[in-house]
Amino acid sequence: MSGPTRSPARNPTLADVAAAAGVSLSTASLAFSGNKPVSEETRERVLAAAGALGYAGPNPLARNLRRGRSGVVGVAVGRLSTAFRDPAALPMLDAVSEVLDAAGLGLLLMPEGDEHAGLPLDAVIYDICGSETWGAYDDLVARGVPLVVVEGPAWAGATYVDVEHRRGAAEVARHLHDLGHRRVATLTLEASHPQREREAGLRDVYPDAELVGPCASDLVAAQRMVGAWWDGGGEASAVVCQSDVQAAGVVLEARRRGLDVPGDLSVAGFDGVATPWLDLELTTVVQPLAEKGRATARAALSRIAGEPVDDVLLPVRMRVGGSTGPASHAT
Amino acid sequence: MSGPTRSPARNPTLADVAAAAGVSLSTASLAFSGNKPVSEETRERVLAAAGALGYAGPNPLARNLRRGRSGVVGVAVGRLSTAFRDPAALPMLDAVSEVLDAAGLGLLLMPEGDEHAGLPLDAVIYDICGSETWGAYDDLVARGVPLVVVEGPAWAGATYVDVEHRRGAAEVARHLHDLGHRRVATLTLEASHPQREREAGLRDVYPDAELVGPCASDLVAAQRMVGAWWDGGGEASAVVCQSDVQAAGVVLEARRRGLDVPGDLSVAGFDGVATPWLDLELTTVVQPLAEKGRATARAALSRIAGEPVDDVLLPVRMRVGGSTGPASHAT
DNA sequence: CGTTTCGATCGAATCGATTCGATGCTATCG
DNA sequence: CGATAGCATCGAATCGATTCGATCGAAACG
């Protein structure tokens, strides 16, 4: 026995395996990757040696450096608890994850605030509708990391996935107008691209729609906001919200005040998510959430592959539920 | 001008920057990392050269190979839409993310099913209470990737973070017993470590507690399950649930059938999450969700650092809300 | 029987940094 | 004034693979 060249503490490398199997480093690599034919006998010898040495396969870090890819796509969301509290975010992210998985890519969550510089990302998906500035943007551009923006601000070099916010909002507005509503108020989101588009859609029909106020897509926040508005003398026969969660909050607050929905008040939402704890199906604009996620992930994949990618605009569909009805003459 | 050595298409490397700045590769590296002192003048020359060449800083892939770290921690959750629909999951994951971010680590979501082999992970957090087998486990062990298991199955080599399920469940049971309840039924989760523990706690007080059935932590599923049980002649003065979402489902279904909570029926939950759409505060077992997340992330960090790590057992606290009351004589 | 082809294997270059040890140089000390 | 630090810089080794081009022997070809 000659003295061992390798410290036994160190993890075995492909070179160790190759040596143990009596083949060259390149052949051992081929035996694992299968990128070129290797005789059956050699492959078995290599795998046997690997097993004996406790070698678990090629080191991903080294592979990544060689390939120039990390196999990871970053997804910028807001603060996690905020981002995922919105039930509309889940089906979307779920679909993203599904498509990425199928392509063998991982999904890295990038909470707001952290710049995440120093992590090797093959592409980044920006899905924070709220914020329109982003510290990491310049760095990504400098590094040439493909960026896919979902319903977001216009940034140079990014691919866009968007939804027909304006058409959807206008359709709901028209529906309310057809029901005779003349005095309409709207609960908005923070200033953002979707908000601007939706408000434009609403004002296509109701140029004078009153503003209840900007509000997170949160049940309690919406309740408070509309409550305060009513307390302040606000009046409307219909309230148009920018999410179903907001709409549910308005319904709950209306009932708390003895108003019947839709008898005394019509309420419309946005997104088309399930609200099983509400005994009412909301009138809303149904977004193709899963398709949005898929389109987003596919765009990222194409950009990674270096293919040209078109921006995507997804259609919406109004769903008339039980939360809107004819305007009563009283209001 | 001598012919360029480098193809202009290629991204600049640190070597290019060093050459342009007229310093050695190692000095250029030091100028960026600051791991050793570099004269102010040299640093500026290097940074200027980097700017001129459009060099965005050291390639993370190369850095990672050198350090032997990827800077990414995997978090195994179930299917995303399922995992995050449970409101108890969010504060936990949020805290994990916060601690990892502070340490400069990224968080990679590992949905069930995908083995995610080939991704370089510095550690993995396993937070799927439902499933007790995991295809990726052997591979992680073989690679020596630290594993932190949250309320999960016992696996060799893993660090555990758990919660006093049994004590919490027993405390709720005792509370109900004190209120005079003698006929208690329980809605369970799928077979899992927390479920077994909690059921043991319940049976410490009510050995004969009746089983409504196993059920996902989902409002509608719980409603259906308990509804079917009542339809089948099930009777109880109190229903103990394994999550607040389940409990809310039971409350809703009870009311739908004209039962008053807590007048006719007491309902207890678990987790201690907010249910703002319920006009009732649930009696429940409050878990320190954020602390659970922090402890989990800290354990992962310590394991990555190679430090010895103790398992963690987190305390719970019963919160008596308006969903439980004295047993009525009728039932 | 000489030559071309093909499959298996190998050696060496490469991916893009970090870091150890050595070197030269200028202050500090006795 | 000579020895000793101490700082800035550099060259070379290293992390652990993948892959291009070359080599070699055997089979297929004219």
Side-chain angles (χ1 to χ4, degrees):
Chain A
M1 275 201 270
S2 59
T5 317
R6 295 301 201 175
S7 137
R10 222 178 38 72
N11 275 339
T13 75
L14 190 53
D16 300 327
V17 173
V23 300
S24 77
L25 179 54
S26 36
T27 301
S29 173
L30 264 18
F32 275 98
S33 70
N35 288 353
K36 270 189 167 188
V38 166
S39 79
E40 187 53 35
E41 187 227 330
T42 306
R43 171 198 266 67
E44 276 168 18
R45 235 185 26 253
V46 171
L47 295 182
L53 269 66
Y55 179 77
N59 181 323
L61 291 167
R63 190 219 312 275
N64 285 350
L65 170 59
R66 194 70 240 271
R67 286 191 322 189
R69 296 258 169 85
S70 67
V72 175
V73 172
V75 179
V77 293
R79 194 179 159 77
L80 296 193
S81 51
T82 314
F84 294 129
R85 197 179 313 289
D86 187 343
L90 281 178
M92 149 88 188
L93 196 73
D94 208 16
V96 168
S97 148
E98 199 169 297
V99 172
L100 292 183
D101 278 356
L105 294 176
L107 186 161
L108 184 119
L109 249 30
M110 309 170 73
E112 211 155 25
D114 191 11
E115 297 312 325
H116 281 281
L119 285 185
L121 299 175
D122 290 347
V124 167
I125 293 170
Y126 185 88
D127 190 23
I128 316 178
C129 298
S131 155
E132 313 235 304
T133 63
W134 196 32
Y137 173 68
D138 292 334
D139 188 61
L140 291 177
V141 170
R143 296 204 119 82
V145 178
L147 181 61
V148 179
V149 174
V150 183
E151 302 170 86
W155 281 328
T159 298
Y160 290 88
V161 175
D162 206 348
V163 164
E164 294 181 339
H165 296 290
R166 182 163 187 166
R167 203 177 64 71
E171 209 166 323
V172 165
R174 232 169 285 123
H175 162 71
L176 290 170
H177 199 270
D178 290 348
L179 287 170
H181 293 273
R182 292 296 175 269
R183 191 130 186 221
V184 168
T186 180
L187 204 61
T188 67
L189 297 167
E190 312 79 16
S192 61
H193 167 77
Q195 174 56 47
R196 280 189 295 274
E197 289 294 303
R198 294 179 192 177
E199 188 158 349
L202 176 66
R203 298 206 183 278
D204 286 344
V205 177
Y206 293 106
D208 304 324
E210 202 167 332
L211 193 69
V212 174
C215 166
S217 183
D218 176 86
L219 194 84
V220 174
Q223 254 177 301
R224 291 223 185 94
M225 173 66 68
V226 75
W229 182 71
W230 275 321
D231 287 341
E235 271 181 39
S237 68
V239 176
V240 174
C241 300
Q242 304 307 327
S243 79
D244 292 339
V245 176
Q246 282 185 342
V250 172
V251 170
L252 258 41
E253 183 62 19
R255 287 186 179 162
R256 214 177 60 79
R257 290 163 180 258
L259 292 175
D260 179 57
V261 177
D264 304 318
L265 182 76
S266 285
V267 179
F270 209 106
D271 291 342
V273 303
T275 48
W277 30 270
L278 205 64
D279 54 1
L280 191 66
E281 197 186 40
L282 291 167
T283 292
T284 191
V285 176
V286 181
Q287 291 193 46
L289 293 171
E291 180 53 27
K292 183 163 74 174
R294 271 181 250 122
T296 302
R298 280 196 304 255
L301 293 179
S302 299
R303 292 276 317 251
I304 291 175
E307 302 160 5
V309 185
D310 288 332
D311 290 348
V312 177
L313 180 62
L314 294 165
V316 296
R317 183 174 58 76
M318 178 176 66
R319 185 188 69 199
V320 177
S323 66
T324 51
S328 69
H329 267 67
T331 323
Chain B
M1 278 203 266
S2 60
T5 317
R6 293 302 199 176
S7 137
R10 220 176 39 73
N11 276 340
T13 75
L14 189 53
D16 300 326
V17 173
V23 299
S24 78
L25 180 54
S26 36
T27 301
S29 173
L30 262 18
F32 276 99
S33 70
N35 289 353
K36 271 188 168 188
V38 166
S39 79
E40 188 53 36
E41 187 229 329
T42 306
R43 168 198 268 72
E44 275 168 17
R45 237 189 19 257
V46 171
L47 295 182
L53 270 65
Y55 179 75
N59 181 324
L61 291 167
R63 188 218 313 273
N64 285 349
L65 170 59
R66 194 69 241 270
R67 289 190 321 189
R69 295 260 169 85
S70 67
V72 175
V73 172
V75 178
V77 294
R79 194 181 159 76
L80 295 194
S81 51
T82 313
F84 294 129
R85 196 180 312 290
D86 186 343
L90 280 178
M92 148 88 188
L93 197 74
D94 208 16
V96 168
S97 147
E98 200 168 295
V99 172
L100 292 182
D101 278 355
L105 294 176
L107 187 162
L108 184 120
L109 249 30
M110 308 170 72
E112 210 156 25
D114 193 9
E115 298 312 325
H116 281 280
L119 285 186
L121 300 174
D122 289 348
V124 167
I125 292 169
Y126 185 89
D127 189 23
I128 317 177
C129 298
S131 154
E132 313 235 304
T133 62
W134 197 30
Y137 173 68
D138 292 333
D139 187 61
L140 292 178
V141 170
R143 296 203 118 84
V145 178
L147 181 61
V148 179
V149 173
V150 183
E151 301 171 88
W155 281 330
T159 297
Y160 291 88
V161 175
D162 206 347
V163 164
E164 293 180 340
H165 296 290
R166 183 164 186 167
R167 202 177 65 70
E171 209 166 321
V172 164
R174 234 170 284 124
H175 162 72
L176 290 171
H177 199 268
D178 290 348
L179 286 170
H181 293 274
R182 291 298 174 267
R183 189 130 186 219
V184 168
T186 181
L187 205 60
T188 67
L189 297 166
E190 312 78 15
S192 61
H193 166 76
Q195 174 56 47
R196 279 188 296 274
E197 290 295 301
R198 294 179 191 177
E199 188 158 349
L202 176 65
R203 298 206 183 278
D204 286 344
V205 177
Y206 293 107
D208 303 326
E210 203 168 331
L211 192 70
V212 175
C215 166
S217 183
D218 177 86
L219 195 84
V220 174
Q223 252 177 301
R224 290 222 186 95
M225 173 67 66
V226 75
W229 182 71
W230 274 322
D231 287 340
E235 270 180 40
S237 69
V239 176
V240 174
C241 301
Q242 305 307 326
S243 80
D244 292 340
V245 176
Q246 282 184 344
V250 172
V251 170
L252 259 41
E253 182 64 17
R255 287 186 177 161
R256 215 177 59 79
R257 289 162 182 258
L259 293 175
D260 179 57
V261 176
D264 304 318
L265 181 76
S266 285
V267 179
F270 210 105
D271 292 342
V273 303
T275 47
W277 30 270
L278 205 63
D279 55 0
L280 191 66
E281 197 186 39
L282 292 167
T283 292
T284 190
V285 176
V286 181
Q287 292 192 48
L289 293 172
E291 180 52 27
K292 182 163 76 174
R294 270 180 251 121
T296 302
R298 280 195 305 256
L301 293 179
S302 298
R303 292 276 317 249
I304 291 174
E307 301 161 5
V309 185
D310 287 333
D311 291 348
V312 177
L313 180 61
L314 295 164
V316 296
R317 180 175 60 75
M318 179 175 65
R319 183 187 70 201
V320 176
S323 66
T324 51
S328 67
H329 269 65
T331 320

